[in-house]
Amino acid sequence: MPTPQSKHNPSPTRSAAESAALPIKAAASGTALAGAPHAPLHYRVEPLDLHAHLFAVRLRIAAPQAGQQLSLPVWIPGSYLVREFAKNLQGLTAKQGRKTIAVQQLDKQRWQLDCQADQPVELQWQVCAYDHSVRTAWLDPQRGFFNGTSLLLRVHGQERAPHALEIARSAATQDWQLATGLTAHAVDAQGFGHYLAADYDELVDCPVEMGHFWSGHFTACGVPHRFVVAGAPASFDGERLLRDTKTICEEEIRFWHGKGKKPPHRSYVFMLNATDDNYGGLEHRNSTALICGRRDLPQRSGWGSDKGNDKQSDGYTQLLGLISHEYFHTWSVKRLRPAEFARYDYDAENYTQLLWFFEGFTSYYDDLLLRRAGLIDNAQYLALLTKTINQVQQTPGRKVQSVAQSSWDAWVKYYRQDENTANATVSYYTKGALVALCLDLALRREGRTTLDHVMRGLWAHCHGGPMSEAHVLSVLESLSGRSWQTELTQWVHGKDELPLAELLAAHGVSLLPDRPALAQQLGLRVQDGHSVQIKLVLRGGAAERAGFMAGDEWLGLERDNQAGGEGWRLGKLQDLTLYARPGETVTALVARDRRLLRLPLQLPSTEKPAAKRSSKALVAPKSEAPANVKLTVQDVAVAASWLAAQ
């Protein structure tokens, strides 16, 4: 999931874990902490009511302006949707000295104080934290979590001044722990206490995890890392997670800086929330917030019914890919970032056409670097790549929207998906990853450079800071000896198919058409249960021609035969193959808005798609459904130069 930052704080950034090993400038745990930092802006956050999910926040402004304005961000960097965090803020009051002063709300997220200049002002408010995602805030009797964009008002005109944050215990949280990437000033052994940020950007770019969590540590290329996991079951294998995450971190540090050099971050914190069924992540400058299903965590050897079976699950592979993705963002999007993100505007959308690069190229490297680190093999990597290709090929919107336009429209389309999304849009994650693949393979085929060198070249050329598409073209030409304007125009700003088959074949991997699943053959995306729920109808498919709509409930079918016809109830889509022949036209019985409809539907035939290869593009077989493909290694030695970076 997914941005830039202000200049790196020149003072060492320490996690709470590291700070606990330093001399503590505080009294014993459970008492008031001494040594509060002197900063123009001082926030205090306390878990106020765990059952009501309320955080209490206080802010002291040492030298306000007359009529000081404040606001709460409407979005969080890395997640491109206006989320209106102010909807959760309540009870805002202010005092100057002993006098209560008026607080006037100017719009949905801005307030103005009726205060005099240069006399300290103290404010207090509450925030209801009831969002389990990585984007906002959560509080209950087991766990607390927040991003500063959800809790901490921005003081206009003082965004670049030092900010101090005190995180206090409440009576109900005396035994909780705390983890954050903020610089510790005076904290106790569990991490509660005083922290410092160079400015508002840094303050809100370091989320806070608190509660009862598992915690582990490792060092990667000389940099201390901490991993905390909330909600882990008894079967959780923390040592394996640490070992594999360290492997990922070292692989990516070497990718960007080579051997023997340290990354720009001086410490790093992974914060993972394990729930029953969820998945996602959000990157920050020296930390990341992750969420996954408990079943995706690694299990200790011999645990459960599969004793002795230590095979890596698909869910755990997906989790490692998420860790790889978010850690890669430490360089690409948090430092090397779109020029439009040089400084954030927290009050409105921040538009860029470069998400295909920052999210798409990160999506290309997340799994590829797992392969290079030895955490997955060629077959596993190609299976993941096949999934990405099929996701794009099975999206009719790829012919409607370019990946550059998809980046621009993220604010209104990608994060607001509906029944028409697949027909009108393409993902800058998945197609952006395929653009990266094509660019890497094309560069390697010409033999002068690789995309690895281009990424490092951009880091050096842009000094790990803001960049534009012109910078990409410049570095490409400098390293390869020719212009890549035509390719970027076609692949990024155009809607034509990408030359996947040709480029993969040149690197020892064959791309062949494969028969899609039944839903894809019909042009549907469904949810099975007691009936078939139609979630999405794909453009140009058999289901659309028959008159299906998203939201329909497909109850059953009728078919004609020599006995006079018969009808069947459907419990799941695959039941269709029990009751009707391939290629037959049947009558689908559909419920829509309580009305029963009979829709004529021609079923797909059983003919297998011809194994076509194009020298210029991936060509889908002539069929009612978008292409489905499979990848196989034909020349292991040739493929190794790309897959294993040999």
Side-chain angles (χ1 to χ4, degrees), residues 533-553:
Q533 305 290 328
I534 308 301
K535 295 300 181 183
L536 194 148
V537 179
L538 297 176
R539 186 73 70 239
E544 185 184 59
R545 289 194 296 274
F548 279 83
M549 288 178 54
D552 285 351
E553 182 183 13

Side-chain angles (χ1 to χ4, degrees), residues 352-579:
T352 179
Q353 287 195 344
L354 284 174
L355 296 183
W356 61 268
F357 178 90
F358 288 100
E359 290 296 351
F361 281 41
T362 299
S363 296
Y364 170 62
Y365 276 111
D366 54 18
D367 290 333
L368 182 59
L369 292 177
L370 292 185
R371 164 63 192 91
R372 293 181 182 175
L375 294 173
I376 58 176
D377 58 24
N378 285 348
Q380 290 172 298
Y381 173 71
L382 291 180
L384 293 169
L385 181 57
T386 298
K387 182 178 179 181
T388 300
I389 294 173
N390 286 335
Q391 285 175 338
V392 174
Q393 289 304 116
Q394 293 168 5
T395 302
R398 76 188 190 282
K399 299 179 180 179
V400 177
Q401 184 186 55
S402 73
V403 75
Q405 189 63 40
S406 173
S407 302
W408 189 268
D409 285 341
W411 297 91
V412 294
K413 292 190 175 182
Y414 184 81
Y415 283 93
R416 289 178 174 169
Q417 300 195 12
D418 57 27
E419 297 80 3
N420 192 48
T421 294
N423 295 319
T425 70
V426 67
S427 167
Y428 50 78
Y429 283 91
T430 52
K431 187 174 181 182
L434 297 186
V435 170
L437 169 68
C438 289
L439 189 55
D440 194 12
L441 297 184
L443 289 166
R444 290 175 182 275
R445 183 174 61 177
E446 295 187 6
R448 296 192 62 177
T449 190
T450 70
L451 189 59
D452 300 1
H453 293 99
V454 171
M455 298 299 285
R456 291 189 285 269
L458 280 167
W459 178 266
H461 184 74
C462 299
H463 307 288
M467 57 161 273
S468 65
E469 187 173 315
H471 290 123
V472 178
L473 287 166
S474 176
V475 172
L476 277 168
E477 183 169 356
S478 173
L479 293 177
S480 70
R482 73 168 180 90
S483 171
W484 290 80
Q485 181 67 67
T486 298
E487 285 82 358
L488 261 64
T489 297
Q490 293 176 350
W491 300 348
V492 173
H493 299 278
K495 305 163 193 172
D496 294 338
E497 304 286 15
L498 299 172
L500 294 166
E502 171 196 355
L503 291 171
L504 285 164
H507 292 80
V509 177
S510 65
L511 183 152
L512 299 173
D514 193 20
R515 187 170 182 79
L518 179 58
Q520 199 64 37
Q521 294 177 54
L522 292 169
L524 289 172
R525 294 182 185 172
V526 305
Q527 179 177 329
D528 287 335
H530 297 295
S531 60
V532 181
Q533 305 290 328
I534 308 301
K535 295 300 181 183
L536 194 148
V537 179
L538 297 176
R539 186 73 70 239
E544 185 184 59
R545 289 194 296 274
F548 279 83
M549 288 178 54
D552 285 351
E553 182 183 13
W554 189 354
L555 301 172
L557 64 90
E558 294 176 342
R559 61 187 296 266
D560 294 328
N561 58 26
Q562 294 179 347
E566 58 186 7
W568 296 96
R569 185 79 163 85
L570 294 181
K572 53 185 178 181
L573 185 61
Q574 202 61 35
D575 290 347
L576 195 61
T577 62
L578 296 175
Y579 307 127

Side-chain angles (χ1 to χ4, degrees), residues 14 17-27 34 184-189:
R14 299 186 180 95
E18 297 172 89
S19 302
L22 299 173
I24 302 299
K25 306 175 186 176
H185 177 80
V187 301
D188 64 21

Side-chain angles (χ1 to χ4, degrees), residues 119 178 255 267 301 310 324 410 429 495 497 499 524 532 552 582:
Q119 295 183 22
L178 186 145
F255 173 89
S267 66
S301 179
D310 293 328
S324 177
Y429 283 91
K495 305 163 193 172
E497 304 286 15
L524 289 172
V532 181
D552 285 351

Side-chain angles (χ1 to χ4, degrees), residues 117-380:
D118 300 325
Q119 295 183 22
V121 168
E122 293 188 0
L123 300 95
Q124 61 182 14
W125 62 92
Q126 298 171 2
V127 173
C128 184
Y130 202 69
D131 184 343
H132 229 166
S133 78
V134 297
R135 298 179 295 265
T136 52
W138 173 267
L139 183 63
D140 72 1
Q142 286 74 47
R143 174 178 178 262
F145 171 83
F146 69 86
N147 289 285
T149 45
S150 292
L151 262 68
L152 307 178
L153 289 170
R154 176 169 61 94
V155 181
H156 292 200
Q158 299 194 43
E159 293 91 342
R160 300 195 183 188
H163 288 55
L165 173 63
E166 177 188 357
I167 308 173
R169 298 180 186 278
S170 62
T173 61
Q174 289 300 309
D175 59 345
W176 280 18
Q177 302 168 272
L178 186 145
T180 180
L182 281 168
T183 301
H185 177 80
V187 301
D188 64 21
Q190 283 70 46
F192 284 85
H194 296 275
Y195 292 87
L196 284 172
D199 52 24
Y200 185 79
D201 283 347
E202 182 179 0
L203 178 73
V204 299
D205 200 17
C206 295
V208 174
E209 176 78 31
M210 62 181 80
H212 303 107
F213 51 68
W214 176 92
S215 180
H217 310 266
F218 63 87
T219 298
C221 299
V223 176
H225 291 65
R226 184 185 189 188
F227 210 127
V228 302
V229 182
S235 61
F236 169 54
D237 187 348
E239 293 305 312
R240 180 173 183 182
L241 181 64
L242 290 179
R243 182 172 65 250
D244 292 344
T245 303
K246 176 178 180 176
T247 300
I248 292 169
C249 294
E250 291 181 337
E251 184 71 28
E252 296 193 1
I253 292 170
R254 287 193 294 265
F255 173 89
W256 285 101
H257 305 291
K259 294 182 179 180
K261 294 184 179 179
K262 291 186 177 182
H265 50 285
R266 303 184 186 184
S267 66
Y268 197 89
V269 184
F270 292 94
M271 290 170 271
L272 174 61
N273 180 28
T275 65
D276 179 60
D277 184 21
N278 218 323
Y279 175 82
L282 189 62
E283 72 278 356
H284 300 277
R285 66 182 61 199
N286 68 333
S287 64
T288 183
L290 310 167
I291 189 168
C292 77
R294 294 187 185 93
R295 299 169 188 84
D296 298 337
L297 292 172
Q299 291 190 358
R300 288 184 287 167
S301 179
W303 187 271
S305 59
D306 297 327
K307 291 185 178 181
N309 182 8
D310 293 328
K311 182 180 178 181
Q312 183 167 302
S313 70
D314 291 341
Y316 183 50
T317 298
Q318 183 184 44
L319 174 58
L320 293 179
L322 177 65
I323 291 169
S324 177
H325 184 99
E326 302 304 336
Y327 196 68
F328 197 86
H329 274 321
T330 309
W331 293 267
S332 179
V333 93
K334 295 310 299 182
R335 290 172 173 81
L336 191 67
R337 60 197 185 274
E340 298 89 344
F341 291 174
R343 297 291 299 192
Y344 295 126
D345 179 356
Y346 293 103
D347 296 329
E349 298 87 345
N350 291 213
Y351 292 100
T352 179
Q353 287 195 344
L354 284 174
L355 296 183
W356 61 268
F357 178 90
F358 288 100
E359 290 296 351
F361 281 41
T362 299
S363 296
Y364 170 62
Y365 276 111
D366 54 18
D367 290 333
L368 182 59
L369 292 177
L370 292 185
R371 164 63 192 91
R372 293 181 182 175
L375 294 173
I376 58 176
D377 58 24
N378 285 348
Q380 290 172 298

Side-chain angles (χ1 to χ4, degrees), residues 48-87:
L48 177 65
D49 189 328
L50 306 187
H51 296 289
H53 317 287
L54 290 175
F55 282 107
V57 188
R58 296 182 183 179
L59 167 62
R60 184 180 189 275
I61 308 173
Q65 302 170 356
Q68 178 69 60
Q69 290 191 13
L70 307 97
S71 65
L72 198 65
V74 301
W75 69 290
I76 181 169
S79 185
Y80 307 106
L81 178 67
V82 172
R83 298 184 184 275
E84 315 291 22
F85 299 130
K87 67 183 179 181

Side-chain angles (χ1 to χ4, degrees), residues 499-503 612-619:
L500 294 166
E502 171 196 355
L503 291 171
K612 294 184 179 181
R613 267 192 254 176
S614 167
S615 61
K616 294 185 178 181
L618 168 66
V619 178

